[in-house]
Amino acid sequence: MTIDCCSNIDFIPNDIWVAITIKVATDSIRSLCSLRMTCKAAHDAGEADIVHRSVSIPPPHATPWWWCLNPEARRFFDRCMVAGHPELLFREALRELFIRRNENVGIQMLKIATSIGHAAAKYALTMTLLLRTDWNDEKQKGLEMYRELDAAGSLGDCKAMCFSILTISWPGEVQMPRIEEQHTVCAAPRCSTRGHMPLLYDYRRRAAERNSVHAFGGAAHIPCIQCRADYELQAFVNLP
């Protein structure tokens, strides 16, 4: 229910209302709902696609369980998906890739979310492209994006977000791909670390089980960036 009253707010242009509503929506869904109940202008502004694309979506562990059962909540999230919300596109892409096994659909969703600036979607897209068995343009693009993520120092945060989605949203349902020899990114015949990343990952994993300091560092000390990408692939497919 909205409340209409005689005041100067009636003369505020709609684009200003939309800008205000976007600002509020980036705080939380609750804040957006509260604003839309204040007056008709705010309610109408909240219908804009850009508002549904900008609203803050809570992480899986902070999402009320009953939202998935509530018809109104489901309609709201469906509207956000249609509007192209990057976080929801990212989550649905992971579902398509690793539960429904619809690779083409998942990759397209990740590309859209990445183009909007979603870092974790870029990470998931990077790993998915690097898992290609043939060295084509898309796999080369995956290596370029890996370089960007590595240079930005965002690999750890993006991996943690993927872990959160895969383990909390769909426990026991995820089917990650297996890494075979043909998935190897490094193809340099003279690279001294080529082919050793599975062993390094296994060493780090076992060290983590013992709470050893040797669990830390990943492949940061490896000079070959393609080998570091191979190590990251090992970490990615073993997330769940």
Side-chain angles (χ1 to χ4, degrees), residues 2-240:
T2 59
I3 301 174
D4 289 314
C5 57
C6 296
S7 68
N8 291 330
I9 65 173
D10 294 330
F11 302 100
I12 299 177
N14 182 66
D15 57 344
I16 300 299
W17 270 114
V18 171
I20 293 171
T21 308
I22 291 173
K23 182 68 174 178
V24 173
T26 56
D27 178 62
S28 70
I29 295 175
R30 184 183 297 274
S31 297
L32 172 61
C33 293
S34 297
L35 175 66
R36 295 190 65 188
M37 293 175 65
T38 58
C39 64
K40 185 177 185 302
H43 180 272
D44 293 344
E47 288 294 317
D49 282 348
I50 191 170
V51 173
H52 287 83
R53 195 161 52 243
S54 306
V55 66
S56 176
I57 304 296
H61 67 270
T63 302
W65 63 270
W66 53 265
W67 279 7
C68 63
L69 304 176
N70 184 285
E72 187 174 351
R74 294 180 67 175
R75 284 195 297 272
F76 175 79
F77 287 117
D78 287 344
R79 177 69 188 279
C80 291
M81 274 289 296
V82 172
H85 195 290
E87 175 65 21
L88 294 181
L89 282 171
F90 163 63
R91 297 185 187 186
E92 190 62 22
L94 294 185
R95 185 199 296 267
E96 293 291 343
L97 285 168
F98 306 123
I99 295 180
R100 296 173 179 155
R101 312 300 289 176
N102 294 326
E103 183 176 291
N104 291 334
V105 175
I107 287 178
Q108 283 304 117
M109 286 183 171
L110 287 179
K111 285 182 177 180
I112 296 172
T114 299
S115 69
I116 303 174
H118 197 285
K122 182 176 182 178
Y123 171 82
L125 178 60
T126 298
M127 296 296 104
T128 303
L129 294 181
L130 289 178
L131 281 167
R132 300 277 184 157
T133 56
D134 53 332
W135 188 267
N136 53 25
D137 291 341
E138 287 204 324
K139 189 159 186 172
Q140 181 62 38
K141 178 62 176 177
L143 183 58
E144 292 174 5
M145 291 194 296
Y146 175 81
R147 292 177 185 273
E148 295 170 1
L149 291 168
D150 185 52
S154 56
L155 289 170
D157 290 341
C158 293
K159 183 163 49 186
M161 187 174 294
C162 287
F163 174 81
S164 175
I165 300 298
L166 292 171
T167 57
I168 297 177
S169 299
W170 316 293
E173 298 182 49
V174 177
Q175 300 178 17
M176 299 298 285
R178 294 172 59 103
I179 294 184
E180 307 293 345
E181 185 177 353
Q182 61 266 32
H183 292 117
T184 302
V185 177
C186 182
R190 296 185 179 181
C191 178
S192 61
T193 54
R194 180 191 178 198
H196 297 311
M197 293 305 100
L199 294 174
L200 177 59
Y201 174 78
D202 189 59
Y203 172 76
R204 298 290 193 202
R205 181 182 60 80
R206 292 177 183 275
E209 293 173 354
R210 302 191 306 270
N211 294 320
S212 169
V213 295
H214 298 292
F216 302 100
H221 64 290
I222 301 295
C224 175
I225 193 165
Q226 294 184 358
C227 283
R228 295 205 301 273
D230 280 323
Y231 181 92
E232 196 65 31
L233 280 177
Q234 293 287 333
F236 179 70
V237 300
N238 284 284
L239 278 178

